[in-house]
Every structure is written in C-alpha cells, then in structure tokens.
Amino acid sequence: MTDLFQKLKRIVSEEYISDSIYVRHAYSRNVDPVLQGVPEYVIRPKDEFEISEILQVANEEKIPVIPRGGGDCEFGGSKPIGDTGIVLDLTRMNHILNMDHDNLVVTVEAGITWANLNNFLSQYGLYTGCLGPGSGLTASIGGGLSHHSVGGGGGAKYGSCSNQLVSLQVVLPTGEIIETGSQANKYSKSPFNRFGNGPDLSGFFCGDNGIFGIKTKATLQIFPKPPYAEYKTFLMPRKSNEVSSIIFSEIRKKGIDVYDAIFFMDLLVSVGVQNGFFPMWEDLKRKRGTIFYVIEANSEKELKEKTKQLDSIFISNKAEALGSEISEGNMGKWFYEEQGHWLYAHNLWGLVPGFESLDAECKVPIVTYPAILKDLDQWDFEHKEDMETILKIAGMRPVTGSGPIILLKGNTVELTCGFTSFSSYINGEYHPELEKLNLKLWKSILERVTKHGVMWYMMGDITSRLMVDIGAYNGEFYNLMKSIKKTLDPNMILSSGKYNFWNQ
Ligand SMILES: Cc1cc2nc3c(=O)[nH]c(=O)nc-3n(C[C@H](O)[C@H](O)[C@H](O)COP(=O)(O)OP(=O)(O)OC[C@H]3O[C@@H](n4cnc5c(N)ncnc54)[C@H](O)[C@@H]3O)c2cc1C
C-alpha cells in the first residue's frame, strides 16, 4: 500500500475509499465512448472537513483531484484527464439541511440529485423553478451548478439552474472552506440573498466545470408551483428549422411568459420515430419537426389568456396542433405531467447497443440556429467518407444534427451539436480505428460550431481544451481565468488538464 493511500485512509473510513481496479475503471469514464482516464483512488467523502483534508494531502503529494456528482457529464468532465488522480464522488453528501419557508430558500448538500430535492419540495407545493438538466434523476445540484445546467424543465421561464443560486459553501483547492452571498457576513444566521457583501462570488463558481473549488453546500431559491398548466404539441410546416426560430422570437417579442418551449428538428423526429424513442409520435402522418410548449398560471383566466396568445403565434406560422393526449402525440403533456422532462434525452444514448452521442451543448441567439443546423448538414456531407467507414463497421450510419432545441430565459436557445456514433466495442469485437475516427470527427464538428461564435456552457475535458487549442478564447479573458486559477490552486491539483492552462 502506498504512503499516499495510507494518508488518505486516515481521513475517510475504509469502506469509502478504494484503489481496486474495478472501482477505478468504473469511475474512468462519463457518458461518451471515447474519453477515458483511470483514477488511482476513488473516495466518497462525508463532508466538507474530509474534503478539506483530502485536498491538503493532494497538495502535499501534487496529485490531481476530480470532483464528481452524478457522473453524467457528456464531455469527460468528471473523470481524470490521463490515468491519474483521486476522483471524489460527492453523492454521499445528499442531505437536505434547511428548508426556509419564510424566505423560500432551501439549503442542501451538493451531491443530492435534482429529482430527490424536487420530490421533497413537491410535498409543500414547491419546486426549484429550473429543474436542472434532462439527466436530473441522477445528476447532482453541484454538477448542475458547475455546468450552468438547463433543459430538465423550466428553462424558458427560469433559465439555467445557476440563476436561482443564493449562496454556496465551497472548499477551495488548498483546503480553505468559504461561504458566499449573504453568508459572507458572519452575523447572518442563514442564507437569504446572493448579491451584496462585495462581488458575486457565488457566480464565480457557477459554470467553472469544477476548476475553482468543490461545492459542498448550496442554497437555492424555491418557488410555488402554479396550480394551472397547459401544454400543446404542434407539427411544424416545411422549413421547420426557420419557422421554429420565428415562433421562438415571436414568443419573446410578445413577452409571453412560457415555462418551456422545445423544438425537435425533422431528422430527429423521423429517426426517433423509426427507432421507437418517441413512441408518442409513431402515428404522425408526416415525420416533420415538432414543437411543444408548456405554460403555467395562477388562475384559469390567466391560463386561457396565455394559451390564446401562444396559439395564435403557432397558428399564424402554419403549425398544426396534435391531439391533447400523450397517445395523440402531445409530448408537452408527458414532459410536464409525467416527468418526461427528466426522461426525454435518455433515449438519444444507447438506442441500439453501443450507440452513443458525441456532441456538446451551447447557447446561441434564437435567430442564428437555422444557419448552424444548415452548416451541420454541410459538415456531414464533407465527412461522408468517414461516415461510410463507420457504417461499414457498425452497420448504421451516424446521424449529424441537434437534439432538442430549448428556448431559454432571454433571447437564446440551447442547442446540442454533434453526431451519433458507436463505441469501439461492437458485438464483442474491438475496433480501435473507430475510437480514433470518433475523436477526430468530434473535434472537427466542435471546432466548426465554435466558429459560429456559440457559447459552450458545460465544457468538461474536450470542449474546454478544444477552445484553447483552436485559439477561440479572447486572450484577455483566458489570461484572467488562468491567473485566478494560479492564485487559487498554485499546484494545479483541482481538475488538472481542463482548459489546458499549462499544457498539462
Ligand atoms: C441523458 C442525459 C441528459 C442530459 N441532459 C442535459 C440537459 O438537459 N442539460 C444540461 O445542462 N446537461 C445535460 N446533461 C449533461 C449533464 O448530465 C448535466 O450537465 C449535469 O448537470 C451534470 O451533473 P452531474 O452531477 O452528473 O455532474 P458530473 O458529471 O459528476 O460533473 C460535471 C462537472 O462538474 C464538476 N463537479 C461535479 N460536482 C461538483 C461539485 N460538487 N463541486 C465542484 N465541481 C463539481 C465535475 O468535475 C465536472 O466537471 C445530460 C446528460 C445525459 C447523460
């Protein structure tokens, strides 16, 4: 047993630390089939004090530490870069610490899932507004805040989950434990507001992809869930990419308060229906793009008025309403009433054995996504030989495009850009050439999309390094981020390798 392992074992009890090859391999990947990094140790800490001690040892020994929540990152963010380091699995820290009914805030440990927190809140008629990511059944609050996650419901009304953050407890890379927001005043009894006592240091840790500190506790705003809701799904006319973008813009320009509005492009609907991942659309006469909305209201009158205004936008753009039941194609109802918001993205992975998505998620202005979708088609055409090679090996041609396109608070949408491919193990056979090809194509498509000026928001291993490698960062922004990193983490132990700071 190494000295380091012995030191770590003095901090956490035996059952929560492992150097077993099986455990280490289980933590060596996230969702994609290409990026892997096998950690030396896996630890499941109990609280911020254990984390602080682990970080102090890691600094002494100069070993990387990688925080991990649900491990649902699609871009290799919650596994080591290279075969090294300690993965800190935070899912043991999953308690609800304080429910403040007067101030409508809740304080939780960062390893709790969005589903467990919202399940608890629902008994009081409350919810977190943005319900986190589409992976909210397993993804954690800490992971969501580290990614600015959005997409698991409520994105059009509340925006990214970090919008509703009030304060954080964070263990810095050198082991100090800090609190942000109202808690910067040591006389404040419990968190109640984010902005004040100096700059917004809570925001500083949001979207940091785990490089500036380890979030251990979070206080979030919570909201009463309105008693009335309406949801409708529409079949789009021709040129559905362009028309959906017009519809989203009109919703914003008319100031209609919509909870969610999500567009599925033509290709996604037809591949999805063919392969059975959108069963509610199997009877569609035309496999065209679809769009659904969800609105909430405090009275029937308010609901009727909003529905009327929204429907007029859809109808004037020649969209055709599907029936009101899920069996008639109303995905909006499934999404809002039956927790489809935490299920609709899952089938894009693992539809057939080995089938995987190689993508990344970005925010773009509403008006720009039709052009990006067109360019994705062009990119696919330019890479048709590589696509044919994958078809020959896997028996299915990759599909290039976007997943669901989600209207966000403000005038932006969330766009998933990428292609589906296969892992290098197919029917028990290993195809190393596929791994190389996947990585080459993945980087190529992300570079192409980056040059449209998009904003990647969960960056992990691949996108954070690619932005640097292709020189896409504004130099002053990147240099500031690098100096902050150096000040907070002089030994570069936390999430080493992300953003390629010192070509690690
Ligand atoms: C089926 C599916 C659907 C998805 N849908 C969406 C979606 O709709 N919207 C969306 O935004 N994303 C989506 N994702 C991506 C991902 O699941 C989310 O971004 C999610 O918020 C990640 O949470 P996690 O707990 O799994 O984080 P992890 O994958 O464990 O970690 C994510 C990043 O945060 C860091 N991190 C984790 N916890 C902490 C912490 N406590 N302190 C500091 N750093 C930390 C990690 O090091 C890593 O860089 C989806 C993924 C899948 C597989």
Side-chain angles (χ1 to χ4, degrees), residues 21 80 85 91 93 109 113 120 123 135 144 147 150-151 203 215 255 259 272 308 311 315 354 376 393 485:
I21 186 81
T91 53
M93 295 175 58
E109 289 184 309
T113 63
F120 167 80
Q123 63 186 307
S135 51
H147 272 174
V150 63
K215 297 160 191 75
Y259 176 78
K308 203 168 103 196
D311 285 354
I315 289 159
L376 288 176
I393 300 173
K485 177 70 176 163

Side-chain angles (χ1 to χ4, degrees), residues 313-453:
I313 294 179
F314 281 81
I315 289 159
S316 66
N317 281 291
K318 302 194 168 46
E320 187 187 313
L322 298 173
S324 60
E325 293 310 314
I326 297 170
S327 57
E328 296 172 283
N330 189 359
M331 193 178 204
K333 182 169 185 180
W334 177 70
F335 187 87
Y336 192 77
E337 291 285 319
E338 300 199 357
Q339 308 221 334
H341 58 101
W342 283 326
L343 298 169
Y344 73 114
H346 288 63
N347 289 348
L348 303 176
W349 283 267
L351 182 66
V352 296
F355 189 71
E356 306 269 358
S357 223
L358 290 168
D359 58 16
E361 294 179 24
C362 58
K363 294 172 184 167
V364 297
I366 294 173
V367 291
T368 58
Y369 72 78
I372 299 178
L373 295 179
K374 211 176 254 174
D375 196 33
L376 288 176
D377 288 343
Q378 175 63 26
W379 177 90
D380 183 280
F381 177 73
E382 289 166 20
H383 293 84
K384 64 178 190 239
E385 274 174 33
D386 289 332
M387 297 300 177
E388 294 293 321
T389 307
I390 298 178
L391 169 67
K392 270 187 210 132
I393 300 173
M396 187 169 167
R397 192 190 188 283
V399 181
T400 304
S402 172
I405 297 174
I406 304 170
L407 180 62
L408 302 183
K409 187 175 179 172
N411 283 335
T412 53
V413 291
E414 194 245 44
L415 187 65
T416 307
C417 297
F419 64 105
T420 54
S421 187
F422 287 82
S423 77
S424 43
Y425 284 92
I426 299 172
N427 296 329
E429 267 182 53
Y430 179 45
H431 301 272
E433 69 277 28
L434 199 47
E435 206 155 284
K436 274 203 199 124
L437 194 53
N438 278 335
L439 192 58
K440 183 190 94 172
L441 290 172
W442 200 8
K443 286 188 173 168
S444 156
I445 198 166
L446 296 184
E447 175 167 357
R448 183 80 162 244
V449 176
T450 303
K451 290 182 176 165
H452 282 271

Side-chain angles (χ1 to χ4, degrees), residues 30-31 66-79 90 110-111 114 132-136 138-152 161 208-211 213-216 341 344-347 349 361 406 414 457-458 460 494-495 498:
N30 297 146
V31 180
I66 304 94
R68 175 171 169 130
D72 293 314
C73 183
E74 295 160 58
F75 323 109
S78 37
K79 53 109 196 101
L90 294 155
W114 290 95
S135 51
T138 50
S140 67
I141 303 289
L145 293 171
S146 305
H147 272 174
H148 288 306
S149 281
V150 63
C161 64
D208 75 338
N209 291 275
I211 62 165
I214 299 185
K215 297 160 191 75
T216 42
H341 58 101
Y344 73 114
H346 288 63
N347 289 348
W349 283 267
E361 294 179 24
I406 304 170
E414 194 245 44
Y457 64 101
M458 47 175 115
L494 194 61
S495 298
K498 279 183 201 159

Side-chain angles (χ1 to χ4, degrees), residues 1 55 66 73 99 286 292 312 336 387 409 459 496:
M1 187 187 304
L55 288 170
I66 304 94
C73 183
M99 170 79 192
R286 283 161 289 147
F292 72 77
S312 75
Y336 192 77
M387 297 300 177
K409 187 175 179 172
M459 304 185 74
S496 313

Side-chain angles (χ1 to χ4, degrees), residues 223 243 245 362 448:
F223 307 89
V243 179
S245 158
C362 58
R448 183 80 162 244

